[in-house]
Every structure is written in structure tokens, then in C-alpha cells.
């Protein structure tokens, strides 16, 4: 299969894969389940993370066996199609282990030239899936139906900034010091603990901006495209600037 796939067909596949992974993430942890630190203190992984990624991969490869996969928890898979799927099977693992409902399965697909084509983020406890296809806008699906993003919200003087903090203590201290500067143009901040959801909330119009400078590609891949297709101004990390940001102009 070539990289010439229709973006909306890819979005449909991304939604199916994200929702399959999110369904796995509904499995509650017991006190006997292992919660492992995989890097810095606080950076957690569970058997559910890995099972969710397996589920996402099965959906993608069943439909497009020649595509490449780059996941957070499992070894990468190299295909020949010119498309790569970037998977975060459980964004917000700490929230998941503490029964805080802000976690999601996130997946996005890009061409070899780096062009992002489609994405989906599914938050199972919130019963919400956000998605986008390049050039076709972004949408949110809930039990109430499907809406185009951004949604219609009442006007107010509130301006909300979303952000996150690094697992690295030195980096985290710097982020806290710089927070007052980030908040100059905002009335308050929100810290949900899952960058994919934060970016989707910008797309939704619920947050006015999101800024974080210590994320991996699987953290922001899907949410960035969804925010961009909703009409937000998006800046992805580069070799010179590690900041991921999305904001309404």
C-alpha cells in the first residue's frame, strides 16, 4: 500500500484504533498489578499500556500491513508504504493508576516527509474521541453525537492556559520558575496530566492555549494535528526549540 491513502479514510482508521486501545484502558488496575518506573521517577508504565498498544497495532496492521509503527512501549515496526503511525497507548498513565479520569489512547499518521495526515485521541472514562484529517477539519464525538471543532462556548473574560511538568527535577524547577511569565496573558491555568487531552481541549476551545517543553513525539502527534485542523496556531517541537504549543490567535 502506498502513502497516497485518503486522509479521511486514515482518520476513520485512527478513530477505530484509538477507541480499541481506549477500551483496553478501561480495565482497572488492582493492588496486585505491577506499576513500573521506566525512566525518571514518576514515569510509569503498566501491563495495560502494553496491552493497549498491542490492540492499536492490530487494528492498524490488519487494515494497512505495509505501514510503519512507532509506539511508546513496544519496538518500532518498519513498513514499506511511506506512512508511519505514532502511538501513545495510554497518555496519562499516572492518572490511570490513581483513578483520575484524564487519560487517553492517542494515534496519528504521517508521511515520510513529515506531513501529518490524520489523528485520533480517545479518552475512555470521558467517553470522548477527538479526531482530525488533514485539510478536512477536526471533530469531537461523545454520547451526544459528533461536533465540529471548536465547539460553541459562551463568551467570558476567562483565559485558560494548559501546561505540564517534566519528570526531571531540574527541568521541572525551571518550568515552575517560568510559569508566571507564561501566565501573563491568561487568568488561570489547568494541569490535566495528559498532553494529548490538553491539545484536544485547545482544539475544542476549552483551553485558550497549551505550552510544554519536555514532550516526546507520541505525546503531541495526534493532539497537535487536531488542534491545527480546528484552527488553532500550532508550533511543534524542533531541534532548536523543544516547546510544543497550541493557542488561539
Amino acid at each position: 500500500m502506498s502513502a497516497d491513502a485518503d486522509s479521511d479514510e486514515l482518520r476513520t482508521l485512527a478513530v477505530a484504533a484509538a477507541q480499541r486501545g481506549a477500551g483496553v484502558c478501561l480495565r482497572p488496575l488492582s493492588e496486585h498489578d505491577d506499576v513500573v518506573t521506566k525512566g525518571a521517577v514518576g514515569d510509569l508504565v503498566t501491563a495495560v499500556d502494553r496491552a493497549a498498544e498491542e490492540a492499536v497495532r492490530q487494528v492498524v496492521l490488519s487494515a494497512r500491513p505495509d505501514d510503519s509503527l512507532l509506539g511508546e512501549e513496544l519496538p518500532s515496526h518498519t513498513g514499506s508504504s511511506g506512512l508511519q503511525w505514532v502511538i501513545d497507548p495510554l497518555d496519562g498513565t499516572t492518572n490511570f493508576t490513581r483513578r483520575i479520569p484524564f487519560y487517553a489512547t492517542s494515534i496519528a499518521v504521517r508521511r515520510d516527509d513529515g506531513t501529518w495526515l490524520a489523528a485520533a485521541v480517545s479518552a475512555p472514562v470521558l467517553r470522548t474521541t477527538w479526531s482530525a484529517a488533514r485539510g478536512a477539519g477536526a471533530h469531537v464525538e461523545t454520547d451526544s453525537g459528533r461536533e465540529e471543532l471548536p465547539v460553541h462556548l459562551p463568551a467570558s473574560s476567562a483565559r485558560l492556559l494548559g501546561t505540564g511538568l517534566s519528570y526531571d527535577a531540574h527541568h521541572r524547577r525551571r518550568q515552575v520558575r517560568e510559569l508566571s511569565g507564561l501566565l501573563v496573558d491568561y487568568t488561570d491555568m489547568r494541569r490535566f496530566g495528559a498532553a494529548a487531552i490538553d491539545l484536544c481541549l485547545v482544539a475544542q476551545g476549552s483551553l485558550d492555549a497549551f505550552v510544554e517543553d519536555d514532550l516526546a513525539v507520541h505525546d503531541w502527534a495526534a493532539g497537535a494535528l487536531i488542534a491545527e485542523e480546528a484552527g488553532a496556531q500550532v508550533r511543534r517541537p524542533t531541534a532548536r526549540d523543544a516547546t510544543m504549543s497550541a493557542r488561539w490567535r
Side-chain angles (χ1 to χ4, degrees), residues 94-172:
T94 300
N95 286 349
F96 171 70
T97 64
R98 299 298 180 93
R99 297 193 180 185
I100 298 170
F102 295 98
Y103 56 85
T105 296
S106 170
I107 181 170
V109 58
R110 60 183 169 184
R111 289 198 297 251
D112 282 347
D113 66 3
T115 302
W116 293 97
L117 300 175
V121 174
S122 186
V125 180
L126 303 179
R127 300 172 68 89
T128 300
T129 298
W130 299 269
S131 65
R134 185 172 186 82
H139 299 83
V140 60
E141 297 176 45
T142 66
D143 291 343
S144 300
R146 187 178 191 231
E147 293 181 85
E148 187 174 347
L149 295 177
V151 299
H152 297 291
L153 298 171
S156 77
S157 61
R159 286 182 52 78
L160 300 179
L161 172 72
T163 192
L165 299 174
S166 174
Y167 294 115
D168 179 82
H170 296 289
H171 197 141
R172 188 165 60 245

Side-chain angles (χ1 to χ4, degrees), residues 1-6 9-11 13-14 56-71 75-87 107-112 117-118:
M1 295 184 183
S2 73
D4 297 327
D6 177 80
E9 291 180 4
L10 294 172
R11 185 202 69 82
L13 180 57
V56 170
R57 287 173 175 236
Q58 287 173 9
V59 173
V60 172
L61 292 178
S62 292
R64 298 186 55 85
D66 298 325
D67 289 359
S68 298
L69 301 173
L70 176 65
S76 60
H77 167 78
T78 302
S80 57
S81 70
L83 294 184
Q84 181 191 58
W85 296 81
V86 178
I87 304 163
I107 181 170
V109 58
R110 60 183 169 184
R111 289 198 297 251
D112 282 347
L117 300 175

